[in-house]
Amino acid sequence: MADFVVVGGGTAGCVVARGLLDRTDGTVLLLEAGDHDTNPAIHDPLRMHELWDSPQDWGLRTVPQRDAGDRVLHLPRGRVLGGSHALNAMIHVRGNPADYDGWGQPGWSWADVEPLFRRIESGPLRILREYTADPVQDAIVESAQRAGIPYNPDYNDGDQTGVSHMQFTIADNKRLTTSRAYLGPVLSHPRLTVVTGAHVRRLLFSGTRCTGVEWTTGTTSHRAEATEVILSAGAIGSPHLLLRSGIGPAPDLAGPVVADLPEVGNNLQDHWLVPTIFTTDREVTHTPGLPHAQTHLFWHSRPGLPGPDLQPLHFSVPLYEPWMSGPANGFSLMAGLIRPRSTGRVSLAPDGGLLIDPRVLSEPSDVDALVEAVALCREVGHGLVGGGAGEWGAVERYPGRVELRDYVRRSVVTYHHQAGTCAMGTVVGPDLRVHGVTGLRVADASIMPEVVSGNTNTPTVMIAEKAVDLMTTQPT
Ligand SMILES: Cc1cc2nc3c(=O)[nH]c(=O)nc-3n(C[C@H](O)[C@H](O)[C@H](O)COP(=O)(O)OP(=O)(O)OC[C@H]3O[C@@H](n4cnc5c(N)ncnc54)[C@H](O)[C@@H]3O)c2cc1C
């Protein structure tokens, strides 16, 4: 019997486990389906592309996307201690203050959560702000400024708008995951048990009280009882486990209904990218210890929006989709949409597996915004074609002369920011307790009622920090 069972050792789970050790007297059992983070490609920021479809990636696929050329999209998700933080691009973004105010949840306004971001940044998760970027990145920043976009030295200070050098969760040229930063120092703590290779299959209930979990390692089945279970299996994994355990829309559940919660798995939100790709005459060189994306800009697709809805990000490599081809030397300006209107759903397949349907671009306004984002990226990229910075000798390879709405649908890919499937308000309360049951909370990206405007890792760390605050001030 453990006091706390944490399901999933990803971005959030490692923070929750550490916080419970530091701030309670309880025992903590952390169950992670993946292994320890021993793959060297995890730690070298330049090698993140090697991790997709590796053993550390769940390798999730969507159902065919009707509004994106019927394509099946790859959704990489970390299956390793550190979770998706072990696979991600390490970009540190707090989100827009209006995001948190817009959630409308007591205790989660910007004024409430801003101190947590400061706690994170001055605590285990050191932030890399000062570095020498790849030369092509500085040329892109200059070109954006010539296009009328102001330089913003700190997009995390409340005003996101402008072009910026990114801030990173990198320390000593190595990726700094929550596993390294929070969990690593306490791995041999006498009150902590970490089990890797532990695939949690379902939650156990006595009536509506969650009493523990069942998991498998290989073909062996195990159970553990707990006073409180914390689900941190991510925006796909957490709703999947709830659905498998009798919590969700009653008509869709295979077994006994524990709680009829129609919104479990609904409200799947993500951000979206469309590549614009330039090749260059001049060799693009890479700074060791940094990822290929080092600068980005927050901007508006049209006037009158309350905050930026676009976040193009700039890679010092051409990121060709499988159907594209071209030389290896160049750069990509990935047109990013961060206020999408399309929402989708995670649901149970008949065999208990997963159906992931983000319904990308099902709202035409998302296509409109991405067309604007592509136009902006082309304008910035063309600044490296001729004139002042012309020594780059840039050539636009994609999209080239094609119909842009069609190109957007053919080439859109995930920006990896799935959220919203166990949303605060409909599935969990502001205390993160699952409605209709006791002894069970969710703490990960799935609880965002609306995905934040920007990258989701640090906001997920904030959610985990807040979860620990809630568990220590309002215990079960
Ligand atoms: C390729 C990529 C690039 C990204 N780039 C950035 C970026 O640069 N900056 C940024 O801010 N965000 C980025 N993100 C998004 C960010 O990493 C995620 O939003 C964040 O990691 C989500 O944290 P989480 O705790 O909700 O889920 P995760 O970190 O995914 O953790 C879930 C954990 O639960 C485990 N798990 C799931 N199901 C089970 C089960 N049944 N049993 C046991 N364990 C289970 C998983 O293996 C995993 O370890 C990126 C994501 C990806 C994939």
Side-chain angles (χ1 to χ4, degrees), residues 125-162:
L125 215 55
R126 283 172 288 154
I127 306 300
L128 176 67
R129 294 189 173 86
E130 303 292 328
Y131 55 87
T132 304
D134 298 347
V136 75
Q137 295 282 339
D138 289 328
I140 292 165
V141 168
E142 286 166 25
S143 176
Q145 289 175 277
R146 285 197 298 278
I149 296 164
Y151 185 72
N152 183 344
D154 184 3
Y155 56 85
N156 276 325
D157 74 350
D159 182 7
Q160 295 179 304
T161 308

mmCIF file of all heavy atoms in Angstrom, residues 125-162:
data_model
loop_
_atom_site.group_PDB
_atom_site.id
_atom_site.type_symbol
_atom_site.label_atom_id
_atom_site.label_comp_id
_atom_site.label_asym_id
_atom_site.label_seq_id
_atom_site.Cartn_x
_atom_site.Cartn_y
_atom_site.Cartn_z
ATOM 1 N N LEU A 125 14.583 23.625 -12.569
ATOM 2 C CA LEU A 125 14.584 23.742 -14.033
ATOM 3 C C LEU A 125 15.274 25.039 -14.458
ATOM 4 O O LEU A 125 14.631 26.053 -14.697
ATOM 5 C CB LEU A 125 13.135 23.719 -14.532
ATOM 6 C CG LEU A 125 12.888 23.029 -15.865
ATOM 7 C CD1 LEU A 125 13.420 21.605 -15.880
ATOM 8 C CD2 LEU A 125 11.400 23.029 -16.184
ATOM 9 N N ARG A 126 16.612 24.974 -14.532
ATOM 10 C CA ARG A 126 17.330 26.186 -14.952
ATOM 11 C C ARG A 126 17.019 26.489 -16.411
ATOM 12 O O ARG A 126 16.835 25.578 -17.225
ATOM 13 C CB ARG A 126 18.835 25.970 -14.769
ATOM 14 C CG ARG A 126 19.266 26.084 -13.324
ATOM 15 C CD ARG A 126 20.696 25.668 -13.177
ATOM 16 N NE ARG A 126 20.845 24.231 -13.340
ATOM 17 C CZ ARG A 126 21.954 23.632 -13.759
ATOM 18 N NH1 ARG A 126 22.994 24.354 -14.085
ATOM 19 N NH2 ARG A 126 22.020 22.321 -13.869
ATOM 20 N N ILE A 127 16.975 27.751 -16.753
ATOM 21 C CA ILE A 127 16.604 28.152 -18.104
ATOM 22 C C ILE A 127 17.816 28.755 -18.805
ATOM 23 O O ILE A 127 18.480 29.654 -18.272
ATOM 24 C CB ILE A 127 15.453 29.184 -18.070
ATOM 25 C CG1 ILE A 127 14.259 28.645 -17.259
ATOM 26 C CG2 ILE A 127 15.032 29.565 -19.485
ATOM 27 C CD1 ILE A 127 13.642 27.364 -17.774
ATOM 28 N N LEU A 128 18.097 28.272 -20.022
ATOM 29 C CA LEU A 128 19.203 28.804 -20.830
ATOM 30 C C LEU A 128 18.684 29.997 -21.633
ATOM 31 O O LEU A 128 17.786 29.843 -22.474
ATOM 32 C CB LEU A 128 19.727 27.715 -21.774
ATOM 33 C CG LEU A 128 20.820 28.160 -22.752
ATOM 34 C CD1 LEU A 128 22.108 28.508 -22.015
ATOM 35 C CD2 LEU A 128 21.075 27.072 -23.801
ATOM 36 N N ARG A 129 19.244 31.179 -21.347
ATOM 37 C CA ARG A 129 18.814 32.387 -22.060
ATOM 38 C C ARG A 129 19.942 33.013 -22.869
ATOM 39 O O ARG A 129 19.694 33.705 -23.844
ATOM 40 C CB ARG A 129 18.286 33.434 -21.072
ATOM 41 C CG ARG A 129 17.017 33.021 -20.361
ATOM 42 C CD ARG A 129 16.422 34.195 -19.563
ATOM 43 N NE ARG A 129 15.115 33.840 -19.024
ATOM 44 C CZ ARG A 129 14.918 33.213 -17.881
ATOM 45 N NH1 ARG A 129 15.940 32.858 -17.128
ATOM 46 N NH2 ARG A 129 13.699 32.920 -17.466
ATOM 47 N N GLU A 130 21.175 32.826 -22.427
ATOM 48 C CA GLU A 130 22.321 33.468 -23.086
ATOM 49 C C GLU A 130 23.096 32.412 -23.860
ATOM 50 O O GLU A 130 23.592 31.452 -23.271
ATOM 51 C CB GLU A 130 23.258 34.086 -22.025
ATOM 52 C CG GLU A 130 22.594 35.091 -21.096
ATOM 53 C CD GLU A 130 22.183 36.359 -21.818
ATOM 54 O OE1 GLU A 130 22.894 36.731 -22.780
ATOM 55 O OE2 GLU A 130 21.154 36.952 -21.455
ATOM 56 N N TYR A 131 23.185 32.581 -25.177
ATOM 57 C CA TYR A 131 23.948 31.636 -26.001
ATOM 58 C C TYR A 131 24.219 32.284 -27.351
ATOM 59 O O TYR A 131 23.607 33.307 -27.697
ATOM 60 C CB TYR A 131 23.182 30.316 -26.190
ATOM 61 C CG TYR A 131 21.782 30.500 -26.767
ATOM 62 C CD1 TYR A 131 21.561 30.557 -28.141
ATOM 63 C CD2 TYR A 131 20.673 30.633 -25.925
ATOM 64 C CE1 TYR A 131 20.283 30.735 -28.667
ATOM 65 C CE2 TYR A 131 19.399 30.819 -26.432
ATOM 66 C CZ TYR A 131 19.209 30.862 -27.808
ATOM 67 O OH TYR A 131 17.950 31.050 -28.328
ATOM 68 N N THR A 132 25.146 31.685 -28.100
ATOM 69 C CA THR A 132 25.422 32.165 -29.458
ATOM 70 C C THR A 132 24.627 31.310 -30.431
ATOM 71 O O THR A 132 24.871 30.104 -30.553
ATOM 72 C CB THR A 132 26.932 32.045 -29.767
ATOM 73 O OG1 THR A 132 27.636 32.766 -28.752
ATOM 74 C CG2 THR A 132 27.264 32.614 -31.134
ATOM 75 N N ALA A 133 23.682 31.937 -31.097
ATOM 76 C CA ALA A 133 22.803 31.193 -32.005
ATOM 77 C C ALA A 133 23.534 30.876 -33.308
ATOM 78 O O ALA A 133 24.568 31.472 -33.632
ATOM 79 C CB ALA A 133 21.547 32.010 -32.285
ATOM 80 N N ASP A 134 22.978 29.920 -34.076
ATOM 81 C CA ASP A 134 23.507 29.653 -35.419
ATOM 82 C C ASP A 134 23.445 30.950 -36.233
ATOM 83 O O ASP A 134 22.450 31.692 -36.138
ATOM 84 C CB ASP A 134 22.649 28.605 -36.137
ATOM 85 C CG ASP A 134 22.628 27.257 -35.421
ATOM 86 O OD1 ASP A 134 23.455 27.048 -34.506
ATOM 87 O OD2 ASP A 134 21.776 26.427 -35.796
ATOM 88 N N PRO A 135 24.449 31.219 -37.076
ATOM 89 C CA PRO A 135 24.420 32.464 -37.856
ATOM 90 C C PRO A 135 23.126 32.639 -38.668
ATOM 91 O O PRO A 135 22.589 33.749 -38.760
ATOM 92 C CB PRO A 135 25.638 32.335 -38.768
ATOM 93 C CG PRO A 135 26.579 31.434 -38.013
ATOM 94 C CD PRO A 135 25.716 30.479 -37.250
ATOM 95 N N VAL A 136 22.593 31.553 -39.211
ATOM 96 C CA VAL A 136 21.375 31.709 -40.022
ATOM 97 C C VAL A 136 20.203 32.174 -39.161
ATOM 98 O O VAL A 136 19.306 32.889 -39.637
ATOM 99 C CB VAL A 136 21.035 30.406 -40.784
ATOM 100 C CG1 VAL A 136 20.457 29.340 -39.858
ATOM 101 C CG2 VAL A 136 20.086 30.680 -41.947
ATOM 102 N N GLN A 137 20.222 31.809 -37.880
ATOM 103 C CA GLN A 137 19.130 32.226 -36.999
ATOM 104 C C GLN A 137 19.144 33.741 -36.803
ATOM 105 O O GLN A 137 18.100 34.400 -36.817
ATOM 106 C CB GLN A 137 19.261 31.516 -35.639
ATOM 107 C CG GLN A 137 19.080 30.009 -35.696
ATOM 108 C CD GLN A 137 17.621 29.585 -35.803
ATOM 109 O OE1 GLN A 137 16.711 30.340 -35.453
ATOM 110 N NE2 GLN A 137 17.386 28.382 -36.294
ATOM 111 N N ASP A 138 20.343 34.289 -36.640
ATOM 112 C CA ASP A 138 20.427 35.747 -36.476
ATOM 113 C C ASP A 138 20.001 36.459 -37.756
ATOM 114 O O ASP A 138 19.372 37.520 -37.718
ATOM 115 C CB ASP A 138 21.841 36.144 -36.054
ATOM 116 C CG ASP A 138 22.138 35.719 -34.615
ATOM 117 O OD1 ASP A 138 21.189 35.698 -33.806
ATOM 118 O OD2 ASP A 138 23.299 35.391 -34.316
ATOM 119 N N ALA A 139 20.332 35.857 -38.914
ATOM 120 C CA ALA A 139 19.901 36.453 -40.186
ATOM 121 C C ALA A 139 18.372 36.437 -40.299
ATOM 122 O O ALA A 139 17.760 37.391 -40.806
ATOM 123 C CB ALA A 139 20.539 35.696 -41.356
ATOM 124 N N ILE A 140 17.758 35.374 -39.813
ATOM 125 C CA ILE A 140 16.286 35.281 -39.851
ATOM 126 C C ILE A 140 15.669 36.350 -38.948
ATOM 127 O O ILE A 140 14.688 37.015 -39.312
ATOM 128 C CB ILE A 140 15.835 33.854 -39.444
ATOM 129 C CG1 ILE A 140 16.255 32.835 -40.509
ATOM 130 C CG2 ILE A 140 14.333 33.804 -39.214
ATOM 131 C CD1 ILE A 140 16.179 31.377 -40.054
ATOM 132 N N VAL A 141 16.258 36.538 -37.778
ATOM 133 C CA VAL A 141 15.745 37.561 -36.846
ATOM 134 C C VAL A 141 15.856 38.949 -37.487
ATOM 135 O O VAL A 141 14.907 39.753 -37.425
ATOM 136 C CB VAL A 141 16.515 37.503 -35.508
ATOM 137 C CG1 VAL A 141 16.214 38.722 -34.641
ATOM 138 C CG2 VAL A 141 16.150 36.223 -34.751
ATOM 139 N N GLU A 142 16.987 39.223 -38.144
ATOM 140 C CA GLU A 142 17.149 40.529 -38.803
ATOM 141 C C GLU A 142 16.116 40.697 -39.917
ATOM 142 O O GLU A 142 15.528 41.764 -40.086
ATOM 143 C CB GLU A 142 18.557 40.654 -39.389
ATOM 144 C CG GLU A 142 19.624 40.891 -38.332
ATOM 145 C CD GLU A 142 21.026 40.674 -38.893
ATOM 146 O OE1 GLU A 142 21.224 40.808 -40.122
ATOM 147 O OE2 GLU A 142 21.914 40.347 -38.083
ATOM 148 N N SER A 143 15.887 39.638 -40.668
ATOM 149 C CA SER A 143 14.918 39.711 -41.767
ATOM 150 C C SER A 143 13.506 39.968 -41.223
ATOM 151 O O SER A 143 12.744 40.762 -41.795
ATOM 152 C CB SER A 143 14.958 38.423 -42.581
ATOM 153 O OG SER A 143 13.964 38.458 -43.562
ATOM 154 N N ALA A 144 13.171 39.311 -40.124
ATOM 155 C CA ALA A 144 11.841 39.530 -39.524
ATOM 156 C C ALA A 144 11.686 40.991 -39.105
ATOM 157 O O ALA A 144 10.618 41.594 -39.301
ATOM 158 C CB ALA A 144 11.646 38.600 -38.329
ATOM 159 N N GLN A 145 12.753 41.549 -38.566
ATOM 160 C CA GLN A 145 12.675 42.960 -38.150
ATOM 161 C C GLN A 145 12.496 43.869 -39.370
ATOM 162 O O GLN A 145 11.717 44.820 -39.320
ATOM 163 C CB GLN A 145 13.920 43.333 -37.347
ATOM 164 C CG GLN A 145 13.937 42.683 -35.967
ATOM 165 C CD GLN A 145 15.224 42.946 -35.227
ATOM 166 O OE1 GLN A 145 16.221 42.269 -35.430
ATOM 167 N NE2 GLN A 145 15.204 43.957 -34.388
ATOM 168 N N ARG A 146 13.183 43.524 -40.457
ATOM 169 C CA ARG A 146 12.993 44.333 -41.681
ATOM 170 C C ARG A 146 11.561 44.208 -42.195
ATOM 171 O O ARG A 146 11.035 45.109 -42.843
ATOM 172 C CB ARG A 146 13.989 43.900 -42.773
ATOM 173 C CG ARG A 146 15.429 44.368 -42.529
ATOM 174 C CD ARG A 146 16.253 44.275 -43.812
ATOM 175 N NE ARG A 146 16.365 42.912 -44.295
ATOM 176 C CZ ARG A 146 17.243 42.003 -43.856
ATOM 177 N NH1 ARG A 146 18.097 42.331 -42.909
ATOM 178 N NH2 ARG A 146 17.271 40.790 -44.360
ATOM 179 N N ALA A 147 10.916 43.079 -41.885
ATOM 180 C CA ALA A 147 9.522 42.882 -42.306
ATOM 181 C C ALA A 147 8.545 43.587 -41.365
ATOM 182 O O ALA A 147 7.328 43.456 -41.510
ATOM 183 C CB ALA A 147 9.216 41.390 -42.380
ATOM 184 N N GLY A 148 9.075 44.280 -40.345
ATOM 185 C CA GLY A 148 8.208 45.090 -39.482
ATOM 186 C C GLY A 148 7.859 44.441 -38.160
ATOM 187 O O GLY A 148 7.002 44.942 -37.419
ATOM 188 N N ILE A 149 8.523 43.326 -37.838
ATOM 189 C CA ILE A 149 8.223 42.647 -36.569
ATOM 190 C C ILE A 149 9.278 43.064 -35.545
ATOM 191 O O ILE A 149 10.473 42.856 -35.770
ATOM 192 C CB ILE A 149 8.220 41.117 -36.775
ATOM 193 C CG1 ILE A 149 7.072 40.778 -37.727
ATOM 194 C CG2 ILE A 149 8.085 40.375 -35.457
ATOM 195 C CD1 ILE A 149 7.135 39.427 -38.321
ATOM 196 N N PRO A 150 8.867 43.665 -34.446
ATOM 197 C CA PRO A 150 9.861 44.158 -33.484
ATOM 198 C C PRO A 150 10.585 43.020 -32.780
ATOM 199 O O PRO A 150 10.020 41.937 -32.609
ATOM 200 C CB PRO A 150 9.023 44.961 -32.479
ATOM 201 C CG PRO A 150 7.647 44.401 -32.592
ATOM 202 C CD PRO A 150 7.477 43.902 -34.004
ATOM 203 N N TYR A 151 11.829 43.303 -32.355
ATOM 204 C CA TYR A 151 12.564 42.314 -31.565
ATOM 205 C C TYR A 151 12.059 42.353 -30.130
ATOM 206 O O TYR A 151 11.920 43.428 -29.548
ATOM 207 C CB TYR A 151 14.077 42.601 -31.591
ATOM 208 C CG TYR A 151 14.850 41.510 -30.883
ATOM 209 C CD1 TYR A 151 14.978 40.258 -31.474
ATOM 210 C CD2 TYR A 151 15.407 41.710 -29.630
ATOM 211 C CE1 TYR A 151 15.649 39.224 -30.821
ATOM 212 C CE2 TYR A 151 16.079 40.682 -28.969
ATOM 213 C CZ TYR A 151 16.191 39.441 -29.571
ATOM 214 O OH TYR A 151 16.849 38.422 -28.923
ATOM 215 N N ASN A 152 11.749 41.192 -29.598
ATOM 216 C CA ASN A 152 11.289 41.083 -28.212
ATOM 217 C C ASN A 152 12.350 40.312 -27.422
ATOM 218 O O ASN A 152 12.520 39.111 -27.617
ATOM 219 C CB ASN A 152 9.939 40.346 -28.173
ATOM 220 C CG ASN A 152 9.358 40.269 -26.774
ATOM 221 O OD1 ASN A 152 10.060 40.499 -25.790
ATOM 222 N ND2 ASN A 152 8.078 39.934 -26.674
ATOM 223 N N PRO A 153 13.069 40.976 -26.530
ATOM 224 C CA PRO A 153 14.160 40.279 -25.829
ATOM 225 C C PRO A 153 13.675 39.238 -24.828
ATOM 226 O O PRO A 153 14.420 38.351 -24.460
ATOM 227 C CB PRO A 153 14.904 41.414 -25.106
ATOM 228 C CG PRO A 153 13.945 42.543 -25.045
ATOM 229 C CD PRO A 153 12.975 42.390 -26.174
ATOM 230 N N ASP A 154 12.411 39.332 -24.387
ATOM 231 C CA ASP A 154 11.902 38.342 -23.426
ATOM 232 C C ASP A 154 10.407 38.141 -23.623
ATOM 233 O O ASP A 154 9.589 38.873 -23.072
ATOM 234 C CB ASP A 154 12.199 38.788 -21.991
ATOM 235 C CG ASP A 154 11.770 37.722 -20.975
ATOM 236 O OD1 ASP A 154 11.313 36.641 -21.402
ATOM 237 O OD2 ASP A 154 11.891 37.990 -19.770
ATOM 238 N N TYR A 155 10.062 37.113 -24.405
ATOM 239 C CA TYR A 155 8.648 36.834 -24.686
ATOM 240 C C TYR A 155 7.939 36.242 -23.468
ATOM 241 O O TYR A 155 6.744 35.997 -23.505
ATOM 242 C CB TYR A 155 8.530 35.883 -25.893
ATOM 243 C CG TYR A 155 9.305 34.597 -25.714
ATOM 244 C CD1 TYR A 155 8.763 33.510 -25.041
ATOM 245 C CD2 TYR A 155 10.600 34.468 -26.201
ATOM 246 C CE1 TYR A 155 9.476 32.350 -24.847
ATOM 247 C CE2 TYR A 155 11.333 33.306 -26.007
ATOM 248 C CZ TYR A 155 10.754 32.248 -25.328
ATOM 249 O OH TYR A 155 11.477 31.102 -25.125
ATOM 250 N N ASN A 156 8.687 35.970 -22.389
ATOM 251 C CA ASN A 156 8.067 35.414 -21.169
ATOM 252 C C ASN A 156 7.769 36.470 -20.117
ATOM 253 O O ASN A 156 7.400 36.132 -18.993
ATOM 254 C CB ASN A 156 8.988 34.340 -20.564
ATOM 255 C CG ASN A 156 8.774 32.984 -21.220
ATOM 256 O OD1 ASN A 156 7.648 32.637 -21.589
ATOM 257 N ND2 ASN A 156 9.845 32.227 -21.400
ATOM 258 N N ASP A 157 7.934 37.754 -20.483
ATOM 259 C CA ASP A 157 7.751 38.778 -19.448
ATOM 260 C C ASP A 157 6.333 39.345 -19.445
ATOM 261 O O ASP A 157 6.068 40.358 -18.810
ATOM 262 C CB ASP A 157 8.773 39.913 -19.608
ATOM 263 C CG ASP A 157 8.445 40.812 -20.787
ATOM 264 O OD1 ASP A 157 7.540 40.447 -21.581
ATOM 265 O OD2 ASP A 157 9.083 41.869 -20.932
ATOM 266 N N GLY A 158 5.401 38.674 -20.148
ATOM 267 C CA GLY A 158 4.017 39.148 -20.172
ATOM 268 C C GLY A 158 3.562 39.522 -21.569
ATOM 269 O O GLY A 158 2.437 39.256 -21.942
ATOM 270 N N ASP A 159 4.427 40.138 -22.366
ATOM 271 C CA ASP A 159 4.080 40.498 -23.742
ATOM 272 C C ASP A 159 4.851 39.576 -24.692
ATOM 273 O O ASP A 159 6.069 39.656 -24.806
ATOM 274 C CB ASP A 159 4.452 41.967 -23.997
ATOM 275 C CG ASP A 159 4.076 42.399 -25.402
ATOM 276 O OD1 ASP A 159 3.421 41.602 -26.114
ATOM 277 O OD2 ASP A 159 4.450 43.517 -25.800
ATOM 278 N N GLN A 160 4.115 38.704 -25.373
ATOM 279 C CA GLN A 160 4.779 37.726 -26.241
ATOM 280 C C GLN A 160 5.189 38.285 -27.599
ATOM 281 O O GLN A 160 6.084 37.749 -28.251
ATOM 282 C CB GLN A 160 3.835 36.537 -26.492
ATOM 283 C CG GLN A 160 3.495 35.714 -25.276
ATOM 284 C CD GLN A 160 2.554 34.586 -25.640
ATOM 285 O OE1 GLN A 160 1.476 34.797 -26.204
ATOM 286 N NE2 GLN A 160 2.938 33.363 -25.320
ATOM 287 N N THR A 161 4.515 39.353 -28.039
ATOM 288 C CA THR A 161 4.589 39.774 -29.441
ATOM 289 C C THR A 161 6.007 40.135 -29.872
ATOM 290 O O THR A 161 6.733 40.810 -29.156
ATOM 291 C CB THR A 161 3.684 41.007 -29.654
ATOM 292 O OG1 THR A 161 2.395 40.689 -29.154
ATOM 293 C CG2 THR A 161 3.584 41.370 -31.120
ATOM 294 N N GLY A 162 6.385 39.684 -31.072
ATOM 295 C CA GLY A 162 7.676 40.051 -31.649
ATOM 296 C C GLY A 162 8.496 38.832 -31.996
ATOM 297 O O GLY A 162 8.049 37.687 -31.834
#
